[in-house]
Amino acid sequence: MINFKNTQDAFAYKSIPELKRAIFIFKLFKRPFLSSVLQSLLRFALFLRIPVGWAVKPTVYGHFVGGKTLQDCDPVIHRMSQYGVESILDYSVESGGSLESINHAMKETQASIKFAASNDNIPFAVFKPSAMTYEWVLEGEPRENYRQEVEIFRQRLFDLFQMAAKHDIPILVDAEEVSWQFLIDEVVEEGMAHFNKSKAIVFQTLQMYRTDRIEYLHRVINEARSENYFLGIKLVRGAYMEKERAIARKKRVPSPIHPTKEETDRAYNKALEICVQHIDIVSVFNGTHNQESCQLLTELMDKKQLEKNDKNVYFVQLYGMSDNLSFALAKAGYRVAKYVPYGPVKYVMPYLMRRAEENSSVSEQAAGELKLLKQELKRRKN
């Protein structure tokens, strides 16, 4: 049994000032009302284009973000690699609002693929598909040039898949809102069928809080077997729960999200079981902060007689969260990576606000992080 409570292992790569900063941040997240007020103030400041970098950089930005550029992330990559934890660099820009922003996101993703290929401690490239086109395209608005823009979107993604294949770097396609995901699923499935002939290069992301994803997983596994290609499956619980429920209420349609956390947990763990059952053609990316799901996957691997460092299984958490899981799993010999966002403050603010919302809404997450951080700080002072 892995010891997920060993704070010395979990925070060995952090200095005492970094521990104190983390304690301050998770104390803030533990107070949902205060966290919500601060999020509102930040949104207001961004809307009015009031500079907030002076307040954000030394606090939440410094804790959750690797740096402004790929190169800025080098110290983080090196420090974590000394403990067996790899890095996945994520240019955290949201959906494309202009052709200029789309082209910039495209170039940045291409640069990240090349950067990953040059560093043995970066096992994957990643991008948000919504950054590669306009929102109205993903929404399926019936404009005159819709089909043309869809084909341009498809070509952009295929150019990234082609570059990833050329550099032998698996590439993760992040999941988006339900209404946007239909087109993304279509293009990514086509990409997997084309580029995953010898191994998984293109990875699809499944948000398991969705009620339809187990059925979807069975379908794509059957298609991969019948068409003779490999599947890359990234599993997460989901990032837009309240927004999806609000959209469903507004449209007066059934919510696409499981009504309870317990049902989401069951779906997530079921997906892990299915992936391991089909490990001969499935590479699974276990993107979770849930200790039970991590423990379950180690048990499933053991039952399947897989090596701990099996190339088709990765455990992944976000940088700045769940270090007790990441570093304990890495010490035990499993393949582990941290999602490390990077980019200018104004681009990563939506990401940082989601982290605040996530930790505030799941209060036990912030409380658990805070307890372990305090224990480690006390241990070092004794």
Side-chain angles (χ1 to χ4, degrees):
M1 182 73 71
I2 299 172
N3 181 7
F4 290 115
K5 304 301 182 184
N6 187 323
T7 62
Q8 185 173 0
D9 289 341
F11 304 115
Y13 78 110
K14 285 190 178 295
S15 66
I16 287 180
E18 288 172 328
L19 285 175
K20 290 181 177 179
R21 178 180 65 187
I23 289 170
F24 167 76
I25 290 168
F26 284 105
K27 276 185 176 178
L28 176 64
F29 288 165
K30 196 180 174 185
R31 296 172 173 82
F33 175 75
L34 183 56
S35 178
S36 178
V37 169
L38 289 175
Q39 290 172 51
S40 297
L41 289 173
L42 285 173
R43 289 191 181 95
F44 185 67
L46 287 173
F47 178 75
L48 295 180
R49 298 184 179 181
I50 300 172
V52 295
W54 63 271
V56 175
K57 277 190 174 182
T59 53
V60 288
Y61 182 95
H63 183 75
F64 290 110
V65 180
K68 183 178 178 180
T69 67
L70 286 165
Q71 291 72 23
D72 288 342
C73 297
D74 272 332
V76 170
I77 297 168
H78 176 70
R79 273 202 297 168
M80 293 197 298
S81 71
Q82 293 178 301
Y83 301 91
V85 176
E86 298 175 308
S87 300
I88 301 168
L89 304 185
D90 180 16
Y91 183 59
S92 293
V93 63
E94 299 295 314
S95 56
S98 66
L99 182 58
E100 181 183 9
S101 66
I102 292 170
N103 289 337
H104 181 70
M106 186 74 179
K107 290 177 181 177
E108 192 64 44
T109 305
Q110 290 169 331
S112 73
I113 294 170
K114 294 178 182 177
F115 193 77
S118 69
N119 193 316
D120 292 338
N121 293 311
I122 306 176
F124 296 87
V126 62
F127 70 97
K128 286 184 71 64
S130 61
M132 303 303 167
T133 190
Y134 306 102
E135 285 190 16
W136 65 265
V137 175
L138 294 171
E139 289 283 3
E141 290 184 16
R143 300 191 185 185
E144 184 178 351
N145 59 335
Y146 172 73
R147 292 312 310 173
Q148 179 183 355
E149 287 295 335
V150 166
E151 181 54 33
I152 292 172
F153 172 65
R154 176 192 172 279
Q155 190 57 56
R156 287 190 185 110
L157 267 57
F158 265 62
D159 287 346
L160 295 175
F161 299 158
Q162 180 67 57
M163 176 176 282
K166 177 183 176 182
H167 289 280
D168 197 28
I169 292 294
I171 188 164
L172 307 160
V173 185
D174 277 349
E176 303 278 5
E177 299 171 19
V178 171
S179 61
W180 297 0
Q181 195 63 39
F182 297 103
L183 174 59
I184 295 166
D185 284 350
E186 180 182 315
V187 177
V188 175
E189 287 170 34
E190 186 181 353
M192 288 193 293
H194 185 83
F195 293 99
N196 291 7
K197 290 298 186 182
S198 59
K199 66 176 185 178
I201 289 291
V202 178
F203 275 66
Q204 171 72 304
T205 299
L206 275 62
Q207 298 188 102
M208 298 310 302
Y209 66 5
R210 288 183 53 171
T211 58
D212 64 347
R213 292 293 90 173
I214 291 293
E215 180 183 358
Y216 176 88
L217 180 58
H218 281 302
R219 177 175 69 77
V220 292
I221 287 174
N222 290 336
E223 289 178 1
R225 286 203 180 280
S226 65
E227 297 179 29
N228 196 30
Y229 63 89
F230 292 85
L231 279 179
I233 298 295
K234 173 188 166 187
L235 297 175
V236 297
R237 275 171 168 76
Y240 308 98
M241 182 174 66
E242 294 306 325
K243 185 174 184 179
E244 296 290 7
R245 287 174 174 165
I247 291 172
R249 286 193 297 269
K250 185 177 180 180
K251 293 183 177 180
R252 296 184 179 181
V253 298
S255 171
I257 307 302
H258 285 296
T260 67
K261 181 181 183 300
E262 290 72 24
E263 288 175 275
T264 295
D265 289 342
R266 283 195 292 271
Y268 188 97
N269 291 340
K270 180 63 176 177
L272 284 177
E273 293 173 6
I274 294 168
C275 288
V276 174
Q277 287 170 4
H278 297 275
I279 202 68
D280 58 315
I281 65 162
V282 175
S283 291
V284 59
F285 179 109
N286 180 34
T288 184
H289 299 147
N290 185 284
Q291 182 177 317
E292 290 183 8
S293 293
C294 289
Q295 184 64 46
L296 173 63
L297 182 53
T298 65
E299 294 167 0
L300 292 170
M301 292 175 69
D302 188 53
K303 289 179 183 177
K304 195 73 171 178
Q305 297 184 323
L306 301 177
E307 296 291 332
K308 289 182 177 180
N309 65 343
D310 188 286
K311 61 182 175 56
N312 291 316
V313 183
Y314 257 90
F315 295 79
V316 183
Q317 289 79 42
L318 297 174
Y319 179 61
M321 294 176 64
S322 300
D323 286 342
N324 62 308
L325 303 183
S326 306
F327 289 85
L329 287 162
K331 187 173 183 179
Y334 294 93
R335 291 184 183 268
V336 181
K338 285 284 199 183
Y339 236 59
V340 182
Y342 73 95
V345 171
K346 65 178 181 179
Y347 290 150
V348 301
M349 282 307 301
Y351 171 85
L352 294 174
M353 288 176 186
R354 282 202 300 275
R355 298 290 72 77
E357 290 168 2
E358 175 182 331
N359 283 281
S360 298
S361 62
V362 186
S363 57
E364 63 267 25
Q365 173 76 37
E369 298 271 4
L370 185 58
K371 181 180 178 180
L372 294 173
L373 287 160
K374 285 181 174 179
Q375 286 176 0
E376 176 59 13
L377 186 61
K378 182 179 179 180
R379 186 195 69 80
R380 291 196 197 183
K381 288 182 174 180
N382 289 340

